[in-house]
Amino acid sequence: MASTSTLTRRQLIRTTGLGIGVAATGLALSGCSLLPETTPGAALLTSAVPLPAPFGVPLPILPRAQPTSRNAGTDVYDITARPGVAEILPGVPTPVWGYDGSFPGPTIVAERDRTVLLRLHTELPVPTVLHLHGGATPADSDGFPTDFLVPEGWTGQHTHPAGDVAVGTREYRYPNRQQAASLWYHDHRMDFTGPQVWRGLFGSYLIHDPAEDALGLPTGEHDIPLLVCDRAFGADGSLAYPSLDRTLSSVAGVEEPYAGGVLGDVVLVNGAPWPELDVTARRYRFRILNASNARQFRFELDPPVAPIVQVGSDCGLLAEPVAHTALPVSPAERYDVVIDFGGLAAGTTVELRNGLGSGPTAQVMRFRVTGAAADDSRVLARLADVEPLDPAKASTARRLAFARTSGQWTINGAPFDPSRPDATPRLRQLETWTITSDGDHPVHVHSAPFQVVDRTGGLAATDRGWKDTVAVGPAQTVTIVTRFPEFRGRFVAHCHNLEHEDMMMMATIEVL
Ligand code: C2O
Ligand code: CU
Ligand code: CU
């Protein structure tokens, strides 16, 4: 399968590495005869259980996690990752793995500059790792994929050399020294993140700060996280996932047709299929997260009664709001939006649809207006100061090629190797990363919020603000400017299509 030219390119990249291979990778990438082997796309898994009609269940409002204790600067949480049973489809019990047994987990609400000490306990039958996605977190709390937490008495074997292993309980310390933002937390176990998140190991994590509170955006019951994901169900109501090893204990990977990503035919919002939310005729703030393994959405309102007004991106508020008629969202991206139902008559229904789906996956959820309401919220024309990062001031330029090479998902031709640092950025130094892609790769960098400064065909309306995940499309080149602001140590950057990630599309970043 590997042509001579492919081999040459891989050897070149191997010997030059991620950080210093600028010339070599740049050259190789410009020759299109060297570009890939066929890249498998994500494949649809079809449910065997009868599916409910849409809009038959209310949108679940996810419970807020309660701290075990609070002291001067810290909120302590005890959360247990464990098997549970959820009623996701009405009347159908579904075994899940969840934080506190629920699908999705409880919402953690943090305040800027107050530490969250999360004591994660596990009763799962396999190792787990916890990652706060979008968090500025010390390396030992960031959830490096081989820093496993295993249950008491576990006798299994790790599929990779383990890093720092904890038994029963592990403490993760989140300093929250960052602006208000909609983050999320999820499993990050080496080789098995896809199936473990699919089973329910994810939840919402919000940071508030006084500057945001002063803006007058909708709050309280009018500020609602929407965790959107696709799933598929077996005939017995279980979550279907095409793992080679259904016990997730020793063999990594998925059945071949799904190597490009697993798609489901059921769209869940906050763990409910195609739900409905009663709203009053006023503004609402929605924290949209695409928690799917591989599915991309393009959210649209039908009828288009109001623009989808974006106020925040992955890592915080935008400088100014941006009105969208369609909002494309790749896996792991967050869009903080305001929708104004003001002026709509009671009984009006508005669908949130997915312009990239077909049949059941074109539907997402529905809003139903119940009546008029007072509204003292507002969306100011100026939301936050966003310091623009200047690519001209960068001291290092890296190139990262996300591509399928020799049947593997790779970055610069190499599959993930936790023991090999692929890039060694220096703390607080500005860098540009030029990312190329052979398909759809939502590229995520831990520990370093970035700004998108260039994209083939021009910047998208969704490229603004502080991002931690950027969608890079087929044959696209995207340039980001970044710096690792606070913590030294070992982190990762990876594709957030979880099947690509599990199949090694990940790099080790050692911050010096
Ligand atoms: Cu949301 Cu490394 O991931
Ligand atoms: Cu992350
Ligand atoms: Cu990918």
Side-chain angles (χ1 to χ4, degrees):
M1 200 155 95
S3 66
T4 318
S5 54
T6 312
L7 273 176
T8 309
R9 175 179 160 219
R10 284 174 53 232
Q11 285 162 346
L12 258 175
I13 295 163
R14 282 251 166 76
T15 50
T16 53
L18 198 83
I20 49 174
V22 176
T25 48
L27 260 177
L29 282 167
S30 60
C32 53
S33 63
L34 303 181
L35 277 175
E37 312 152 37
T38 41
T39 297
L44 181 70
L45 202 57
T46 306
S47 295
V49 70
L51 297 177
F55 320 130
V57 294
L59 175 79
I61 300 300
L62 299 172
R64 185 168 163 171
Q66 294 304 318
T68 318
S69 63
R70 288 170 65 93
N71 59 43
T74 305
D75 297 338
V76 181
Y77 289 86
D78 285 275
I79 291 180
T80 304
R82 61 175 175 82
V85 176
E87 188 182 327
I88 297 173
L89 305 176
V92 179
T94 298
V96 300
W97 287 357
Y99 297 107
D100 288 341
S102 61
F103 181 115
T107 300
I108 297 173
V109 181
E111 285 166 52
R112 182 173 188 162
D113 297 326
R114 273 186 72 78
T115 298
V116 163
L117 174 61
L118 199 160
R119 288 197 293 243
L120 183 68
H121 312 281
T122 183
E123 294 168 8
L124 298 172
V126 298
T128 187
V129 171
L130 181 65
H131 171 58
L132 175 60
H133 182 125
T137 306
D140 58 358
S141 283
D142 192 56
F144 194 83
T146 54
D147 286 351
F148 301 114
L149 166 62
V150 303
E152 301 277 356
W154 186 71
T155 55
Q157 298 276 309
H158 292 294
T159 47
H160 275 267
D164 179 22
V165 178
V167 180
T169 298
R170 179 176 207 116
E171 295 190 345
Y172 294 90
R173 193 171 289 276
Y174 304 129
N176 300 313
R177 284 196 293 270
Q178 60 191 100
Q179 59 180 312
S182 313
L183 314 183
W184 64 305
Y185 64 100
H186 62 78
D187 178 85
H188 215 301
R189 176 187 172 202
M190 179 86 201
D191 293 329
F192 296 96
T193 297
Q196 298 196 169
V197 170
W198 185 270
R199 287 182 190 205
L201 291 169
F202 66 100
S204 178
Y205 185 111
L206 307 178
I207 301 178
H208 289 289
D209 68 19
E212 182 206 34
D213 295 344
L215 289 176
L217 292 167
T219 57
E221 62 179 306
H222 306 112
D223 175 6
I224 303 175
L226 298 179
L227 281 55
V228 187
C229 64
D230 62 339
R231 293 292 185 267
F233 295 83
D236 58 356
S238 63
L239 285 160
Y241 186 89
S243 292
L244 293 175
D245 172 3
R246 302 289 156 113
T247 68
L248 310 186
S249 52
S250 53
V251 181
V254 292
E255 291 164 8
E256 185 52 42
Y258 298 96
V262 180
L263 305 175
D265 58 353
V266 179
V267 177
L268 304 176
V269 187
N270 295 355
W274 305 289
E276 185 172 72
L277 175 68
D278 283 348
V279 294
T280 51
R282 53 157 291 155
R283 281 183 206 88
Y284 282 75
R285 180 179 185 183
F286 296 110
R287 322 289 193 114
I288 298 174
L289 157 68
N290 181 355
S292 304
N293 285 31
R295 180 177 294 281
Q296 303 186 26
F297 288 93
R298 192 171 68 224
F299 295 112
E300 296 161 357
L301 293 178
D302 180 23
V305 291
I308 300 174
V309 177
Q310 185 189 354
V311 295
S313 191
D314 298 333
C315 289
L317 291 162
L318 298 180
E320 51 211 35
V322 182
H324 301 276
T325 49
L327 187 65
V329 185
S330 280
E333 284 188 298
R334 283 91 63 218
Y335 287 92
D336 195 342
V337 306
V338 172
I339 297 176
D340 190 355
F341 300 101
L344 298 178
T348 307
T349 56
V350 181
E351 272 191 52
L352 183 67
R353 293 183 61 86
N354 171 22
L356 299 178
S358 59
T361 60
Q363 294 177 307
V364 179
M365 65 176 289
R366 190 166 74 179
F367 304 101
R368 167 180 292 274
V369 180
T370 57
D375 189 356
D376 58 0
S377 71
R378 59 188 185 188
V379 179
L380 295 176
R382 185 89 206 145
L383 298 166
D385 291 327
V386 177
E387 177 213 350
L389 301 183
D390 181 0
K393 299 207 174 103
S395 55
T396 307
R398 299 181 196 277
R399 292 191 70 114
L400 291 88
F402 283 69
R404 181 108 173 155
T405 41
S406 303
Q408 267 187 307
W409 296 112
T410 60
I411 303 175
N412 289 356
F416 182 50
D417 177 351
S419 67
R420 177 200 66 224
D422 294 301
T424 51
R426 287 181 184 281
L427 205 61
R428 289 189 283 275
Q429 299 246 320
L430 219 51
E431 306 202 343
T432 59
W433 291 20
T434 299
I435 302 164
T436 58
S437 171
D438 67 343
D440 282 305
H441 298 295
V443 172
H444 170 50
V445 185
H446 286 218
S447 193
F450 56 75
Q451 291 173 5
V452 182
V453 292
D454 195 27
R455 175 186 290 280
T456 310
L459 287 179
T462 44
D463 281 331
R464 304 198 190 186
W466 289 106
K467 299 280 293 165
D468 59 44
T469 306
V470 61
V472 189
Q476 271 196 339
T477 299
V478 167
T479 303
I480 63 173
V481 189
T482 190
R483 72 179 155 219
F484 288 78
E486 198 173 357
F487 299 106
R488 293 189 169 80
R490 213 165 50 139
F491 297 92
V492 287
H494 58 88
C495 178
H496 221 289
N497 171 317
L498 297 183
E499 284 71 40
H500 296 185
E501 175 187 343
D502 280 345
M503 283 163 266
M504 304 306 207
M505 195 171 239
M506 181 144 61
T508 301
I509 312 292
E510 175 103 44
V511 182
L512 305 178

